[in-house]
Amino acid sequence: MRRCWLALAALLTLAGLLMRRVFTAVRFCGFLCLCAVPVCLLWGFLSARRGRRWADIARRVLAVCIGAGFALFAVIEIQVIAAGHTDGETSVGAVVILGAGVNGTQPSLSLQVRLEAALAYLSDKPEIPIVVSGAQGGGEAVSEARCMADWLAGHGVDPGRIYLEEQARSTAENVRYAKEVLGGLGIGPAAPVAVVTADYHLYRASLYWDDPGFVPVAAHMPAKYLPLTINYYIREVFGVVYLSVLG
């Protein structure tokens, strides 16, 4: 039994290192694999001492903690998955696009799918204002907002209806500063506003938005990037927990 747990720990270590160093698109899952290694080693240590009172108690406590963790993960993941859809029926007064990474001056894959989803959503809404939100980060030659504005203008959207918010460096700031821009346009907190972001990110974005006017618009990653999508959905649960604990 001890050898089995040691072998599992070794496999998890190898998988974690590969995902962290080679298949970096799923590096968060690699981080989780590495976190699971000490748990496996501890379980193997306690299992090898089965019959000793302290070891049996410790193993039960560990089992309860693991079970509770998986249950909490499942509850939150279900909510994240359920929120990842587009509301195509509610009329909105504005569209907000939340930023993602920029490669130089070009949108990353994550940002590209958000822009494509926004463009499709805007196809029958030629007049409403658009707020693009995101600051300039490391390795980015322009702000995320500027990159989005240029991309939309290059795809036929009137630049006069695009408003840039270039301060936000997190989801919380995306929401806060975008609302300030909307307020300057006379669009209040209760007004329906379409928020465009990745499907896995919509649940957390709705928690930050915290107004009845939140209208989800989901950007779905192409099917060929399924491992990347799974990685993001798993990571998002921890983002929600972080928000719930630290506010």
Side-chain angles (χ1 to χ4, degrees):
M1 180 64 70
R2 184 171 58 185
R3 291 194 186 96
C4 289
W5 287 107
L6 286 173
L8 179 58
L11 287 174
L12 286 170
T13 300
L14 177 60
L17 291 174
L18 285 173
M19 284 187 273
R20 295 287 293 176
R21 302 295 183 181
V22 181
F23 307 108
T24 54
V26 292
R27 56 182 174 270
F28 185 79
C29 286
F31 170 74
L32 293 182
C33 286
L34 294 175
C35 288
V37 171
V39 177
C40 287
L41 293 175
L42 178 58
W43 188 271
F45 173 80
L46 295 173
S47 296
R49 285 151 182 81
R50 188 187 300 270
R52 300 183 186 182
R53 181 175 175 79
W54 65 268
D56 291 342
I57 293 174
R59 194 158 48 84
R60 292 191 190 100
V61 170
L62 182 58
V64 169
C65 291
I66 293 172
F70 275 107
L72 177 62
F73 177 89
V75 168
I76 298 175
E77 190 67 84
I78 288 171
Q79 296 179 79
V80 170
I81 293 172
H85 65 89
T86 296
D87 180 348
E89 299 179 1
T90 304
S91 297
V92 299
V95 171
V96 173
I97 310 174
L98 304 187
V102 173
N103 299 322
T105 60
Q106 300 302 310
S108 64
L109 175 63
S110 294
L111 188 55
Q112 179 78 25
V113 295
R114 296 184 192 194
L115 289 168
E116 291 172 353
L119 192 65
Y121 184 79
L122 290 163
S123 61
D124 60 350
K125 302 172 182 64
E127 303 297 332
I128 62 175
I130 306 161
V131 179
V132 288
S133 174
Q136 182 176 348
E140 298 177 344
V142 296
S143 70
E144 295 169 6
R146 170 52 62 190
C147 176
M148 289 188 281
D150 290 346
W151 189 95
L152 290 169
H155 285 76
V157 178
D158 179 6
R161 53 191 288 224
I162 303 174
Y163 297 85
L164 279 70
E165 183 291 295
E166 298 180 276
Q167 302 179 71
R169 297 184 178 277
S170 65
T171 302
E173 292 184 353
N174 281 141
V175 171
R176 183 193 317 154
Y177 297 139
K179 283 186 174 183
E180 290 179 3
V181 175
L182 292 171
L185 297 173
I187 300 172
V193 174
V195 179
V196 184
T197 188
D199 47 8
Y200 59 82
H201 189 228
L202 276 167
Y203 178 67
R204 184 154 54 100
S206 71
L207 297 179
Y208 279 113
W209 197 269
D210 195 29
D211 280 321
F214 182 89
V215 177
V217 178
H220 302 287
M221 198 75 74
K224 65 180 179 179
Y225 296 108
L226 181 60
L228 181 59
T229 300
I230 293 173
N231 177 79
Y232 282 144
Y233 266 98
I234 292 173
R235 188 185 69 176
E236 192 63 20
V237 172
F238 293 85
V240 173
V241 172
Y242 181 85
L243 170 61
S244 301
V245 172
L246 299 181

